[in-house]
Amino acid sequence: MNCKLCGGDTEPFGEAIVLGRYTARYLRCSACGYVAVENPHWLAEAYAEHAITALDTGIVMRNTWLADAVSALIGWRFREVRRTLDYGGGTGLFARMMRDRGHDFRWQDPYSENLFARGFGAESDQSFDLVTCFEVIEHLPEPMPVFEELAARAPIMIFSTELMPAEHNRPGQWHYYAPDCGHHVSFYTLASLRGVAQRLGRHFASDDRMLHLIATQPVDPRWLRFVAKHRRARLAARLRRRRPLTWLDADALGQQLRESQSRPAP
């Protein structure tokens, strides 16, 4: 099998037992280092109960940091950004937190129920100034079409995934494989993500660990390294605080509800 990102040759990289009963075979690209499961046939079963695993106990803590980090980046580096999308937004927690920080975020996720950003979903063909995509690309058995879709919808893409460590990175040695839940099937290196940006004709920046960016214009990676520190991100976000959309959203949704209630029953 050739690499799904760069087309290079792949070689066996190890095996692991997934969901307690299936053998996952991992292949590594000899050119860019991207690692992928050869045939993740168990994905429908893994997602049958819920798109978000109960093992993700860090979801609220992570979204709190990301809301501060993205608010800081928009406030200081991307001031022209107005309309934004959170792709693969899960329960809508991040989109709601960003709206509470004054940013017009919309939600989209074909696999999860929108609990916190109801009324602020996005159409699949809408364009935006910026798109976020957090803890999603490691779930994708075919990642390149999603990268291409997001690049077509916004000039700036901010996303997260934990980069493969240089050592102790084989199945059984690195926690991010997460074989117990069976959701993670794609694993990235700096070289592989840089290659994605090149294929898209765009620039790449990273904090070299977790937070990454692909954009039409160059971005100094020091911005990402700065907001990677939670306290600094929180302070920077507060210094460029916007008026919350919380109560405006409530008014708008209330108006929609009243209009629907005033229509004659079918």
Side-chain angles (χ1 to χ4, degrees):
M1 185 176 79
N2 292 104
C3 176
K4 296 176 181 179
L5 299 185
C6 73
D9 294 331
T10 59
E11 57 190 10
F13 197 62
E15 295 183 349
I17 300 300
V18 172
L19 298 181
R21 54 190 171 277
Y22 302 120
T23 300
R25 184 169 178 253
Y26 298 82
L27 302 177
R28 180 180 183 273
C29 176
S30 56
C32 72
Y34 169 70
V35 172
V37 175
E38 184 176 28
N39 176 28
H41 57 83
W42 57 82
L43 287 180
E45 179 181 341
Y47 288 106
E49 183 175 348
H50 204 287
I52 300 174
T53 175
L55 299 179
D56 188 6
T57 57
I59 188 169
V60 173
M61 183 183 299
R62 182 175 65 250
N63 276 278
T64 300
W65 160 56
L66 288 169
D68 287 333
V70 175
S71 294
L73 289 170
I74 293 175
W76 292 91
R77 177 58 180 81
F78 302 116
R79 300 181 193 179
E80 72 284 1
V81 163
R82 292 295 178 266
R83 287 181 54 80
T84 45
L85 169 69
D86 186 34
Y87 180 88
T91 63
L93 177 61
F94 178 78
R96 181 68 261 164
M97 293 174 75
M98 292 303 291
R99 296 190 70 83
D100 291 345
R101 285 161 169 76
H103 304 284
D104 184 12
F105 259 81
R106 304 288 164 154
W107 169 97
Q108 184 179 339
D109 192 325
Y111 302 105
S112 186
E113 182 182 2
N114 183 0
L115 299 177
F116 295 105
R118 292 172 61 186
F120 299 99
E123 300 296 330
S124 59
D125 59 349
Q126 279 183 279
S127 296
F128 295 88
D129 301 319
L130 180 148
V131 60
T132 57
C133 182
F134 296 130
E135 299 306 291
V136 171
I137 62 171
E138 63 274 7
H139 294 251
L140 303 176
E142 297 291 340
M144 205 60 215
V146 174
F147 278 116
E148 291 169 348
E149 176 190 348
L150 297 183
R153 298 181 71 181
I156 305 165
M157 181 194 320
I158 301 175
F159 60 103
S160 72
T161 193
E162 191 168 333
L163 293 176
M164 290 191 66
E167 299 177 346
H168 308 295
N169 53 18
R170 291 179 182 268
Q173 298 179 326
W174 184 36
H175 73 96
Y176 210 60
Y177 286 106
D180 292 335
C181 67
H183 289 185
H184 290 191
V185 297
S186 289
F187 309 91
Y188 303 82
T189 62
L190 276 176
S192 64
L193 292 178
R194 222 176 259 119
V196 168
Q198 290 175 352
R199 283 189 63 179
L200 296 173
R202 299 198 171 183
H203 300 272
F204 174 71
S206 174
D207 72 350
D208 297 331
R209 180 181 173 273
M210 185 81 175
L211 193 62
H212 322 287
L213 180 146
I214 292 176
T216 54
Q217 300 298 321
V219 175
D220 192 325
R222 286 179 292 186
W223 284 106
L224 298 179
R225 294 173 192 148
F226 180 86
V227 299
K229 300 294 184 181
H230 297 201
R231 291 183 180 179
R232 294 195 302 212
R234 188 180 307 120
L235 176 60
R238 287 177 179 174
L239 290 174
R240 285 290 169 87
R241 200 165 12 189
R242 294 184 181 181
R243 177 179 294 183
L245 298 177
T246 312
W247 309 119
L248 291 175
D249 287 350
D251 290 342
L253 293 173
Q255 180 63 29
Q256 292 176 21
L257 180 61
R258 288 188 292 273
E259 289 176 357
S260 67
Q261 291 171 343
S262 66
R263 299 189 191 107

Coordinates of all heavy atoms in Angstrom, one line a residue, residues 175-214:
H175 N 0.9 6.3 23.7 CA -0.5 6.3 24.2 C -1.5 6.7 23.1 O -2.6 6.3 23.1 CB -0.6 7.2 25.3 CG -0.5 8.7 25.0 ND1 -1.6 9.4 24.7 CD2 0.6 9.5 24.7 CE1 -1.3 10.7 24.4 NE2 0.0 10.7 24.4
Y176 N -1.0 7.4 22.1 CA -2.0 8.0 21.1 C -2.6 7.0 20.2 O -3.5 7.3 19.5 CB -1.2 9.1 20.3 CG -2.1 10.3 19.9 CD1 -2.8 11.0 20.8 CD2 -2.2 10.6 18.5 CE1 -3.6 12.1 20.4 CE2 -3.0 11.6 18.1 CZ -3.7 12.4 19.0 OH -4.5 13.4 18.6
Y177 N -2.0 5.8 20.1 CA -2.6 4.8 19.3 C -4.0 4.4 19.8 O -4.9 4.0 19.1 CB -1.7 3.5 19.2 CG -0.5 3.7 18.3 CD1 0.8 3.9 18.9 CD2 -0.6 3.7 16.9 CE1 1.9 4.0 18.1 CE2 0.5 3.8 16.1 CZ 1.7 4.0 16.7 OH 2.8 4.2 15.9
A178 N -4.2 4.5 21.1 CA -5.4 4.3 21.8 C -6.2 3.1 21.3 O -7.4 3.2 20.8 CB -6.3 5.5 21.7
P179 N -5.6 1.9 21.3 CA -6.3 0.7 20.7 C -7.5 0.3 21.5 O -8.4 -0.4 20.9 CB -5.2 -0.4 20.8 CG -4.3 0.1 22.0 CD -4.3 1.6 21.9
D180 N -7.7 0.6 22.7 CA -8.9 0.2 23.4 C -10.2 0.8 22.9 O -11.2 0.2 22.9 CB -8.8 0.6 24.9 CG -7.7 -0.1 25.6 OD1 -7.4 -1.2 25.2 OD2 -7.1 0.4 26.6
C181 N -10.1 2.0 22.3 CA -11.3 2.6 21.7 C -11.4 2.4 20.2 O -12.5 2.4 19.6 CB -11.4 4.1 22.0 SG -10.1 5.1 21.2
G182 N -10.3 2.1 19.5 CA -10.3 1.8 18.1 C -10.6 2.9 17.2 O -10.8 2.7 16.0
H183 N -10.5 4.2 17.7 CA -10.8 5.4 16.9 C -9.6 5.9 16.1 O -9.8 6.4 15.0 CB -11.4 6.5 17.7 CG -12.7 6.2 18.3 ND1 -13.5 7.1 19.0 CD2 -13.5 5.1 18.2 CE1 -14.6 6.6 19.3 NE2 -14.7 5.4 18.9
H184 N -8.5 5.8 16.6 CA -7.3 6.5 16.0 C -6.7 5.5 15.0 O -6.2 4.4 15.3 CB -6.3 6.8 17.0 CG -6.7 8.0 17.9 ND1 -5.8 8.6 18.8 CD2 -7.9 8.6 18.0 CE1 -6.5 9.6 19.4 NE2 -7.7 9.6 19.0
V185 N -6.6 6.0 13.7 CA -6.1 5.2 12.6 C -5.0 5.9 11.8 O -4.4 5.2 10.9 CB -7.2 4.6 11.7 CG1 -8.2 3.8 12.5 CG2 -8.0 5.8 11.1
S186 N -4.8 7.1 12.0 CA -3.8 7.9 11.2 C -2.9 8.7 12.2 O -3.4 9.4 13.1 CB -4.5 8.9 10.3 OG -5.1 8.2 9.2
F187 N -1.6 8.7 11.9 CA -0.6 9.3 12.9 C 0.4 10.0 12.1 O 1.0 9.5 11.1 CB 0.0 8.2 13.7 CG -1.0 7.3 14.4 CD1 -1.4 6.1 13.8 CD2 -1.6 7.7 15.6 CE1 -2.4 5.3 14.3 CE2 -2.6 6.9 16.1 CZ -3.0 5.7 15.5
Y188 N 0.7 11.2 12.5 CA 1.4 12.2 11.6 C 2.8 12.6 12.2 O 3.0 12.7 13.4 CB 0.6 13.4 11.4 CG -0.8 13.1 10.8 CD1 -1.8 12.7 11.6 CD2 -1.0 13.2 9.5 CE1 -3.1 12.4 11.1 CE2 -2.3 12.9 8.9 CZ -3.3 12.5 9.7 OH -4.5 12.2 9.2
T189 N 3.7 13.0 11.3 CA 4.9 13.6 11.6 C 4.9 15.0 11.1 O 4.0 15.4 10.3 CB 6.1 12.8 11.0 OG1 6.0 12.9 9.6 CG2 6.1 11.4 11.4
L190 N 5.9 15.8 11.5 CA 6.0 17.2 10.9 C 6.2 17.1 9.4 O 5.6 17.8 8.6 CB 7.2 17.9 11.5 CG 7.0 18.6 12.9 CD1 8.3 19.2 13.4 CD2 6.0 19.7 12.7
A191 N 7.0 16.1 9.0 CA 7.3 16.0 7.5 C 6.0 15.6 6.8 O 5.7 16.2 5.7 CB 8.3 14.9 7.3
S192 N 5.2 14.8 7.3 CA 3.9 14.4 6.6 C 3.0 15.6 6.5 O 2.3 15.8 5.5 CB 3.3 13.2 7.3 OG 2.9 13.5 8.6
L193 N 2.8 16.4 7.6 CA 1.9 17.5 7.6 C 2.5 18.6 6.7 O 1.7 19.3 6.0 CB 1.7 18.0 9.0 CG 0.9 17.1 9.9 CD1 0.8 17.7 11.3 CD2 -0.5 16.8 9.3
R194 N 3.8 18.8 6.6 CA 4.4 19.7 5.7 C 4.1 19.3 4.3 O 3.8 20.2 3.4 CB 5.9 19.8 6.0 CG 6.5 21.2 5.9 CD 7.9 21.2 6.3 NE 8.2 21.6 7.6 CZ 8.7 20.9 8.6 NH1 9.2 19.7 8.3 NH2 8.9 21.4 9.8
G195 N 4.1 18.0 4.0 CA 3.8 17.5 2.7 C 2.4 17.8 2.3 O 2.1 18.1 1.1
V196 N 1.5 17.6 3.3 CA 0.1 17.9 3.0 C -0.1 19.4 2.6 O -0.8 19.7 1.6 CB -0.8 17.6 4.3 CG1 -2.2 18.2 4.1 CG2 -0.9 16.2 4.5
A197 N 0.5 20.3 3.3 CA 0.4 21.7 3.0 C 1.0 22.0 1.6 O 0.4 22.8 0.8 CB 1.2 22.5 4.0
Q198 N 2.1 21.3 1.2 CA 2.7 21.5 -0.1 C 1.7 21.0 -1.2 O 1.5 21.6 -2.2 CB 4.0 20.8 -0.2 CG 5.1 21.4 0.6 CD 6.4 20.6 0.7 OE1 6.4 19.5 0.2 NE2 7.4 21.2 1.2
R199 N 1.1 19.9 -0.9 CA 0.1 19.4 -1.9 C -1.1 20.3 -2.1 O -1.6 20.4 -3.2 CB -0.4 18.0 -1.5 CG 0.5 16.9 -1.7 CD -0.1 15.5 -1.5 NE -1.3 15.3 -2.4 CZ -2.0 14.1 -2.4 NH1 -1.7 13.2 -1.5 NH2 -3.0 14.0 -3.2
L200 N -1.4 21.0 -1.0 CA -2.5 22.0 -1.1 C -2.1 23.4 -1.6 O -2.9 24.3 -1.8 CB -3.1 22.2 0.3 CG -3.8 21.0 0.9 CD1 -4.2 21.3 2.4 CD2 -5.0 20.5 0.1
G201 N -0.7 23.5 -1.8 CA -0.2 24.8 -2.3 C -0.2 25.9 -1.2 O -0.4 27.1 -1.5
R202 N 0.0 25.4 0.0 CA -0.2 26.4 1.2 C 1.0 26.3 2.1 O 1.9 25.4 1.9 CB -1.5 26.1 1.9 CG -2.7 26.3 1.1 CD -3.9 26.5 1.8 NE -5.0 26.9 0.9 CZ -6.2 27.2 1.3 NH1 -6.6 27.1 2.6 NH2 -7.2 27.6 0.5
H203 N 1.1 27.1 3.1 CA 2.1 27.2 4.0 C 1.8 26.5 5.3 O 0.6 26.4 5.7 CB 2.5 28.7 4.4 CG 2.9 29.5 3.2 ND1 4.2 29.6 2.8 CD2 2.1 30.2 2.3 CE1 4.2 30.4 1.7 NE2 3.0 30.8 1.4
F204 N 2.8 26.0 6.0 CA 2.6 25.1 7.2 C 3.3 25.7 8.4 O 4.5 26.2 8.2 CB 3.0 23.7 6.9 CG 3.0 22.8 8.2 CD1 1.7 22.4 8.7 CD2 4.1 22.4 8.8 CE1 1.7 21.6 9.8 CE2 4.1 21.6 9.9 CZ 2.9 21.2 10.4
A205 N 2.7 25.7 9.5 CA 3.4 26.1 10.8 C 2.9 25.1 11.9 O 1.8 24.6 11.8 CB 3.1 27.5 11.1
S206 N 3.7 25.0 12.9 CA 3.4 24.0 14.0 C 4.1 24.4 15.3 O 5.2 25.1 15.2 CB 3.8 22.6 13.6 OG 3.6 21.7 14.7
D207 N 3.5 24.0 16.4 CA 4.2 24.2 17.7 C 5.2 23.0 17.9 O 5.8 22.9 19.0 CB 3.2 24.4 18.8 CG 2.5 23.1 19.2 OD1 2.6 22.1 18.4 OD2 1.8 23.1 20.2
D208 N 5.3 22.1 16.9 CA 6.1 20.9 17.0 C 5.6 19.9 17.9 O 6.4 18.9 18.2 CB 7.6 21.3 17.3 CG 8.2 22.2 16.3 OD1 7.8 22.1 15.1 OD2 9.1 23.0 16.7
R209 N 4.4 20.0 18.3 CA 3.9 18.9 19.2 C 2.4 18.6 19.0 O 2.1 17.5 18.7 CB 4.1 19.3 20.7 CG 3.5 18.3 21.7 CD 3.7 18.7 23.1 NE 3.0 17.8 24.0 CZ 1.7 17.8 24.3 NH1 1.0 18.8 23.9 NH2 1.2 16.9 25.1
M210 N 1.5 19.6 19.0 CA 0.1 19.4 19.1 C -0.7 20.3 18.2 O -1.7 19.8 17.5 CB -0.4 19.5 20.5 CG -1.8 19.2 20.8 SD -2.0 17.4 21.0 CE -3.7 17.3 21.4
L211 N -0.3 21.5 18.1 CA -1.1 22.6 17.4 C -0.5 22.9 16.1 O 0.7 23.2 16.0 CB -1.3 23.8 18.3 CG -2.3 24.8 17.9 CD1 -3.7 24.2 17.9 CD2 -2.3 26.0 18.8
H212 N -1.3 22.9 15.0 CA -0.7 23.1 13.7 C -1.6 24.0 12.8 O -2.8 24.3 13.2 CB -0.6 21.8 12.9 CG -0.2 20.6 13.8 ND1 1.1 20.5 14.3 CD2 -0.9 19.6 14.4 CE1 1.2 19.5 15.1 NE2 0.0 18.9 15.2
L213 N -1.0 24.6 11.8 CA -1.8 25.5 10.9 C -1.3 25.4 9.5 O -0.2 25.2 9.2 CB -1.4 26.9 11.4 CG -2.1 28.1 10.7 CD1 -2.4 29.2 11.7 CD2 -1.2 28.7 9.6
I214 N -2.3 25.4 8.6 CA -2.1 25.4 7.1 C -2.8 26.7 6.6 O -4.0 26.8 6.8 CB -2.6 24.1 6.5 CG1 -1.7 23.0 6.9 CG2 -2.6 24.3 4.9 CD1 -2.2 21.6 6.4

